Amino acid sequence: MMTVLSKIRLFKIGLGFIFSCIFAYAANANTTQLKFDDMDIKAEHIAIFVDEDGDLSEAVANISAKTEGRLEVALKDAEFKGEFGKKLHLYGLAPFKSIIVVGAGEDTLSVRQLRDLGGYVAQASNDNHSLSVITEGLATKAEQSAAQIAMGYALGSYAFKKYKAKKVNTSKEQTRTVSFHSKTPEPAKALFENDLGHVVTGVKFARDMGTEPGKTIYPETYAQGVRKLFNGVANVKIEVMGLSQMKRNNMGALMGVGQGSIHDPRLIVVTYMGGERGVAPIALVGKGITFDTGGISLKPNSGQWAMKSDLSGAAAVAGTLYAVAKRGDKVNLVGVMAMAENMPSGDAIRPGDVLKTMSGKTIEVMSTDAEGRLVLSDAITYAQKEYDPRLLINIATLTGSAARAMGEDYGVVITRDWDLAQDMMRIGKLAGEDVWPLPLNKNHYKAIRSEIADIKSTAGNPGASIGAAVIGTFVDEDRKWVHLDIAGVDWLTKARPTTPKGHAGWGVRFLNAVVRDVQQAE
Ligand code: BES
Ligand code: ZN
Ligand code: MN
């Protein structure tokens, strides 16, 4: 059965005048539809996978037969060995106009690898014409492969073209179809429609928010974007707190960071109660600095523009809640996003100022550029007081120190519990977003003692652990707590199969997998 994915509409949700087009799947005049079919291949452009065992899979052998065996000859001539991720373009093998060949390696493929294969196809394909991707014969769970490859394709083909003047594609085709061909298209379609497609939308939301300039995304417009994203999603409540409510809650740190900007801060709380009433939720708390100039402790000029993505943590929280809520998981989940713009001005906080947090504890601000820990201190206190979560995870582009330690490969994970750290590493590996631990001990807490306040906000090296100690000061002692510092992974200077260059939307896949893991462990 050939069925057009109705859920494809989810790629096209607009976000009103400010956000127009960010959600269009191909983000230009053309739209891409993803389909799952078991039809005889009629497409002019196809993609195939060849593994390293030397024999062509049955599906690829059938394709080769259509070319009267010339595909097999061409692969031999090119000495194509099937090394994982190797790409080869073949043209003019009638009846096909072009064939993209991607190596599938020698191992049984993991979910992560299947997604990577889809990403390789996305990067190799010309987005002017329709394409059939032959997904058969790749993994033991065949009914999953097409869906996972499609997810990788959707993630790998992301592009942000909103500000390009030339919107119209050169091709006459207005709607382009990418079909994922397998013997069992129905379960693949169901998996994509009910689960993976929602994760893709969550990642795209996060990428859009991290790519969108600070001129258009500030706390209030970000809140509008979140409202639009969740419009009509069942069991979700959104609360956007402004200055007056922050004052009532004594959120002196969040208000302090935001006070130098003409755009007021916001605390956004999204709750999804899909689980049993009264069961404590998982809480995800995200840093949402819509632009980080450093404040009075102004950042140097070079690379400052990239600080438009300093809301990555908050964006990952929203994207994850969306995926979990759309999937309808039987779980209670809360997202708290601390939104502020860190600007220098006559009204801005100064180095040396002391801020009183919601918890009652005071922080001496050593550098106004260490603003993430300040906004998180209030958001974390709020999350614990209001929801008493069974697991508290905060996620933030917190320190250059984390980026220097891990590069673009691993997010930093810091916990007070080694088992939990190991769980996070295992989950990250499966989800395709890796994390690796750094320490947090008594010495880090000792280092942030202040002469005049309860703690000070910075204390030199080791920066990532010091940042975690500031945040840890606000986490209840027996609370299950995970700190994620994603300053290195949220922005890629070199494309990955499922993540183009630029803002990665890191954390949606990871946090989504954590939420699933917690449910599976029950
Ligand atoms: N948003 C930055 C951290 C960052 C740096 C993210 C590079 C992505 C790439 C954060 O607010 C910051 O400025 N951190 C300071 C902390 C310092 C003042 C203790 C840093 O890492 O330099
Ligand atoms: Zn920052
Ligand atoms: Mn900063």
Side-chain angles (χ1 to χ4, degrees):
M1 251 259 291
M2 194 161 113
T3 11
V4 176
L5 254 187
S6 60
K7 285 289 161 62
I8 278 314
R9 259 179 281 129
L10 60 84
F11 293 124
K12 296 190 211 159
I13 310 163
L15 274 180
F17 66 101
I18 314 168
F19 302 87
S20 60
C21 303
I22 357 187
F23 271 78
Y25 178 49
N28 58 30
N30 279 21
T31 44
T32 299
Q33 294 191 324
L34 304 190
K35 286 200 313 196
F36 296 89
D37 66 29
D38 57 359
M39 300 281 286
D40 197 29
I41 303 304
K42 289 196 200 76
E44 294 178 329
H45 305 277
I46 62 168
I48 60 170
F49 303 103
V50 172
D51 62 26
E52 265 177 294
D53 73 5
D55 295 327
L56 296 182
S57 69
E58 191 193 322
V60 173
N62 286 341
I63 297 285
S64 185
K66 286 185 201 286
T67 67
E68 289 162 4
R70 285 176 299 146
L71 170 58
E72 198 170 346
V73 175
L75 288 171
K76 282 214 179 84
D77 285 352
E79 292 180 36
F80 192 82
K81 296 278 191 304
E83 188 191 325
F84 190 84
K86 262 262 160 27
K87 281 172 269 185
L88 175 68
H89 267 112
L90 297 170
Y91 298 96
L93 295 177
F96 305 107
K97 282 190 177 157
S98 78
I99 303 180
I100 297 167
V101 188
V102 178
E106 56 181 344
D107 306 322
T108 309
L109 296 171
S110 63
V111 162
R112 180 177 182 156
Q113 285 176 310
L114 287 167
R115 292 176 185 174
D116 280 353
L117 289 182
Y120 286 124
V121 171
Q123 287 170 4
S125 74
N126 177 335
D127 65 9
N128 278 339
H129 31 66
S130 296
L131 180 73
S132 264
V133 186
I134 316 302
T135 72
E136 285 162 46
L138 280 171
T140 36
K141 283 193 176 170
E143 69 279 7
Q144 277 221 357
S145 323
Q148 299 293 356
I149 290 169
M151 181 186 185
Y153 182 93
L155 291 170
S157 59
Y158 174 85
F160 188 92
K161 294 183 182 166
K162 183 181 165 191
Y163 295 108
K164 300 269 191 195
K166 195 177 144 230
K167 304 261 189 219
V168 184
N169 206 306
T170 46
S171 158
K172 282 189 209 94
E173 263 182 85
Q174 281 301 301
T175 301
R176 166 179 184 260
T177 304
V178 180
S179 53
F180 297 86
H181 178 94
S182 72
K183 281 184 180 152
T184 51
E186 286 303 324
K189 175 178 176 281
L191 178 60
F192 190 87
E193 259 190 44
N194 302 328
D195 181 355
L196 307 184
H198 302 314
V199 180
V200 170
T201 305
V203 174
K204 288 184 173 183
F205 173 82
R207 287 179 184 170
D208 285 344
M209 290 299 127
T211 311
E212 190 71 49
K215 181 169 186 267
T216 44
I217 297 291
Y218 44 89
E220 175 52 25
T221 52
Y222 178 85
Q224 287 168 11
V226 169
R227 282 214 162 95
K228 266 278 199 267
L229 176 68
F230 286 97
N231 190 17
V233 182
N235 295 322
V236 170
K237 278 206 194 89
I238 300 172
E239 192 193 342
V240 180
M241 287 174 50
L243 273 179
S244 56
Q245 283 156 295
M246 286 176 207
K247 267 183 204 138
R248 239 175 285 138
N249 282 312
N250 303 309
M251 295 175 163
L254 176 56
M255 288 191 292
V257 171
Q259 79 186 36
S261 169
I262 56 163
H263 302 298
D264 287 346
R266 295 282 184 274
L267 190 82
I268 307 172
V269 184
V270 181
T271 55
Y272 166 70
M273 295 299 173
E276 271 174 55
R277 260 164 165 265
V279 173
I282 302 167
L284 310 176
V285 180
K287 168 180 172 180
I289 299 299
T290 57
F291 196 85
D292 181 12
T293 64
I296 296 300
S297 313
L298 196 63
K299 283 184 180 298
N301 186 0
S302 78
Q304 212 189 82
W305 63 275
M307 283 301 127
K308 65 179 181 174
S309 71
D310 210 21
L311 46 55
S312 296
V317 167
T320 304
L321 262 118
Y322 177 85
V324 173
K326 285 293 278 187
R327 195 166 55 228
D329 281 11
K330 293 198 173 7
V331 70
N332 296 331
L333 184 63
V334 177
V336 179
M337 293 167 263
M339 313 304 301
E341 185 179 46
N342 190 19
M343 282 291 200
S345 84
D347 286 336
I349 53 168
R350 312 151 193 81
D353 279 0
V354 174
L355 303 177
K356 188 163 183 188
T357 64
M358 183 185 179
S359 71
K361 288 176 187 156
T362 54
I363 309 179
E364 184 183 7
V365 177
M366 304 309 286
S367 161
T368 62
D369 197 11
E371 82 295 340
R373 58 203 74 186
L374 300 177
V375 301
L376 284 174
S377 69
D378 279 339
I380 277 173
T381 301
Y382 182 83
Q384 292 175 110
K385 277 203 172 147
E386 204 69 21
Y387 298 101
D388 190 20
R390 66 209 273 211
L391 171 63
L392 171 70
I393 305 181
N394 66 263
I395 178 164
T397 45
L398 205 73
T399 67
S401 162
R404 285 190 293 278
M406 302 292 179
E408 295 176 0
D409 293 326
Y410 292 89
V412 165
V413 61
I414 294 179
T415 71
R416 300 179 292 207
D417 170 352
W418 179 240
D419 286 341
L420 199 51
Q422 284 186 308
D423 281 344
M424 294 301 123
M425 286 195 277
R426 168 180 56 79
I427 292 166
K429 194 173 173 192
L430 292 173
E433 292 185 324
D434 287 300
V435 295
W436 206 262
L438 284 178
L440 175 59
N441 62 44
K442 270 190 284 191
N443 289 332
H444 304 123
Y445 285 102
K446 220 172 173 177
I448 57 169
R449 282 183 194 159
S450 159
E451 302 286 328
I452 66 164
D454 295 325
I455 60 165
K456 56 183 178 181
S457 67
T458 75
N461 289 332
S465 295
I466 296 290
V470 172
I471 291 168
T473 302
F474 299 89
V475 178
D476 304 335
E477 223 163 279
D478 44 7
R479 180 86 53 200
K480 230 174 143 186
W481 169 54
V482 174
H483 166 81
L484 297 168
D485 191 337
I486 61 168
V489 285
D490 82 310
W491 192 277
L492 295 189
T493 56
K494 200 169 159 274
R496 301 256 167 113
T498 58
T499 311
K501 249 169 68 167
H503 193 254
W506 198 100
V508 176
R509 278 175 273 181
F510 178 83
L511 294 171
N512 176 64
V514 172
V515 173
R516 298 205 77 153
D517 194 80
V518 169
Q519 294 173 76
Q520 271 154 17
E522 272 166 355

